[in-house]
Amino acid sequence: MAPILEVKNLEVNFHTLDGVVHAVNDVSYSVDERKTLGIVGESGCGKSVSVLSIMRLIQEPPGRIKQGQIFFRGEDLLQYNEIQMEGVRGGEIGMVFQDPMTYLNPVLNIGRQISEAIVVHKGLTYQEADEITVDLLNLVGIPKPADRLKDYPHQFSGGMRQRVMIAIALSCNPSVLIADEPTTALDVTIQAQIVDLTKNLQETLGMAVIWITHDLGVVADLADKVVVMYAGYIVEEADVFELYESPQHPYTNFLLKSLPRVDDTRRAERLATIPGFPPDGVTVFPGCPLMPRCKFAVERCRHENPPLQAVADGHKIACWVDISTGKER
């Protein structure tokens, strides 16, 4: 079965005063219907830029989608004009942004902001859309939804605002839901509620989900497949269980070791940290971008950037070294 959404060889640059930032470099991934893809990596690795490219929300200039293809139901979205993309955004593909106070309009009530997409995509009146809006707010767990339509974003807590953002993204029954770090600014309890809500909505509505986060712990119980990004590249891709059971890339290994675990008996030891700093995106390394921070690096890592290659069925990494032996592959 063909994936519902497939990104192929995507490359995105930003032209700045400091030079060209290579934000996304030859990235390819896909998500199947009713499945969840997790995209993981630290800030600045290209996660959000890659999904903003799917929605064609990269501002040009300074940004530019240099090359690639983005297939949704077999059609390349990069070949769509703006009118065609307006039918896709919010209609076929919904997106939850990471900061609801930035993306919610502070001077429009919540009911208007949710119903607007319904009016635009389904051609209903605002009165008709309000009935659907109440159902949506109830679906995402807002108490007494009919009484909250006239409320403004500042009258909601952070977790409730994020639920409103999810309601907006779901307003037109999209086939794909993109969640861009939707739990980053929330406390752990609310994070768990948003994750559980997303899982329940996916089962109810049958959506495919792309979940972006810097926290591997969040996607452990959510994703079917995980893509790990570093410096604009995909460095590892695997089934979620395979990734946690047997991480093959040094960066993934670093990330997992930096997570606190409730079953960890080594309570007296400090959590592992990744030394150094991530690259700035402007400086182009001839070799692997992780090399300056990697304890497994060999001489070849200085001169050649490894391609993404299969090491097992459904498991790919971009690394010259076998971290289990410390020897070059």
Side-chain angles (χ1 to χ4, degrees), residues 200-269:
N200 292 335
L201 290 173
Q202 182 181 29
E203 292 175 4
T204 301
L205 304 176
M207 307 173 295
V209 175
I210 298 178
W211 186 282
I212 300 165
T213 181
H214 62 269
D215 187 352
L216 269 169
V218 171
V219 297
D221 191 40
L222 180 66
D224 299 290
K225 183 171 68 173
V226 180
V227 164
V228 181
M229 292 187 67
Y230 182 79
Y233 295 93
I234 291 178
V235 296
E236 186 157 11
E237 177 183 334
D239 172 89
V240 64
F241 300 109
E242 172 76 10
L243 188 87
Y244 282 80
E245 182 69 24
S246 180
Q248 297 291 308
H249 195 277
Y251 181 62
T252 310
N253 192 51
F254 293 152
L255 289 178
L256 286 172
K257 286 187 175 181
S258 69
L259 288 175
R261 295 174 57 122
V262 295
D263 61 343
D264 199 340
T265 58
R266 300 167 299 170
R267 297 297 177 89
E269 296 183 17

Side-chain angles (χ1 to χ4, degrees), residues 78-294:
L78 296 184
Q79 302 302 317
Y80 275 23
N81 58 38
E82 184 58 28
I83 294 176
Q84 289 173 306
M85 278 306 302
E86 287 177 359
V88 173
R89 295 190 201 108
E92 294 288 345
I93 304 176
M95 186 162 181
V96 182
F97 298 93
Q98 61 179 290
D99 185 356
M101 280 309 289
T102 299
Y103 288 95
L104 289 174
N105 191 325
V107 299
L108 289 180
N109 63 55
I110 291 301
R112 177 61 181 267
Q113 295 190 59
I114 299 174
S115 61
E116 184 174 23
I118 301 170
V119 170
V120 170
H121 288 285
K122 295 189 174 182
L124 303 179
T125 65
Y126 277 101
Q127 185 176 3
E128 292 169 330
D130 279 347
E131 297 178 11
I132 299 175
T133 299
V134 171
D135 292 337
L136 285 166
L137 290 176
N138 184 60
L139 184 66
V140 298
I142 302 291
K144 300 180 179 179
D147 298 335
R148 305 303 302 268
L149 291 184
K150 301 301 182 183
D151 288 348
Y152 290 84
H154 72 272
Q155 295 173 277
F156 289 77
S157 67
M160 288 299 177
R161 287 196 293 265
Q162 199 58 278
R163 290 171 185 265
V164 170
M165 289 291 294
I166 293 173
I168 293 174
L170 297 178
S171 59
C172 295
N173 299 320
S175 303
V176 178
L177 176 68
I178 298 174
D180 185 7
E181 301 205 41
T183 62
T184 297
L186 306 176
D187 63 55
V188 176
T189 303
I190 304 302
Q191 282 185 20
Q193 292 177 7
I194 297 298
V195 170
D196 287 342
L197 172 63
T198 304
K199 290 170 62 178
N200 292 335
L201 290 173
Q202 182 181 29
E203 292 175 4
T204 301
L205 304 176
M207 307 173 295
V209 175
I210 298 178
W211 186 282
I212 300 165
T213 181
H214 62 269
D215 187 352
L216 269 169
V218 171
V219 297
D221 191 40
L222 180 66
D224 299 290
K225 183 171 68 173
V226 180
V227 164
V228 181
M229 292 187 67
Y230 182 79
Y233 295 93
I234 291 178
V235 296
E236 186 157 11
E237 177 183 334
D239 172 89
V240 64
F241 300 109
E242 172 76 10
L243 188 87
Y244 282 80
E245 182 69 24
S246 180
Q248 297 291 308
H249 195 277
Y251 181 62
T252 310
N253 192 51
F254 293 152
L255 289 178
L256 286 172
K257 286 187 175 181
S258 69
L259 288 175
R261 295 174 57 122
V262 295
D263 61 343
D264 199 340
T265 58
R266 300 167 299 170
R267 297 297 177 89
E269 296 183 17
R270 293 174 62 90
L271 288 174
T273 59
I274 305 175
F277 299 93
D280 58 17
V282 176
T283 305
V284 178
F285 292 91
C288 174
L290 184 64
M291 187 275 298
R293 310 174 71 186
C294 182

Side-chain angles (χ1 to χ4, degrees), residues 49-86:
V49 172
S50 72
V51 295
L52 288 172
S53 300
I54 293 172
M55 302 295 280
R56 295 274 299 278
L57 293 175
I58 299 295
Q59 185 174 347
E60 300 185 22
R64 183 166 76 93
I65 299 176
K66 187 176 179 180
Q67 69 170 33
Q69 296 172 300
I70 300 171
F71 291 105
F72 175 68
R73 298 194 183 281
E75 297 190 10
D76 188 358
L77 297 183
L78 296 184
Q79 302 302 317
Y80 275 23
N81 58 38
E82 184 58 28
I83 294 176
Q84 289 173 306
M85 278 306 302
E86 287 177 359

Side-chain angles (χ1 to χ4, degrees), residues 237-239 242 309-316:
E237 177 183 334
D239 172 89
E242 172 76 10
Q309 296 180 325
V311 291
D313 186 24
H315 195 159
K316 300 177 182 178

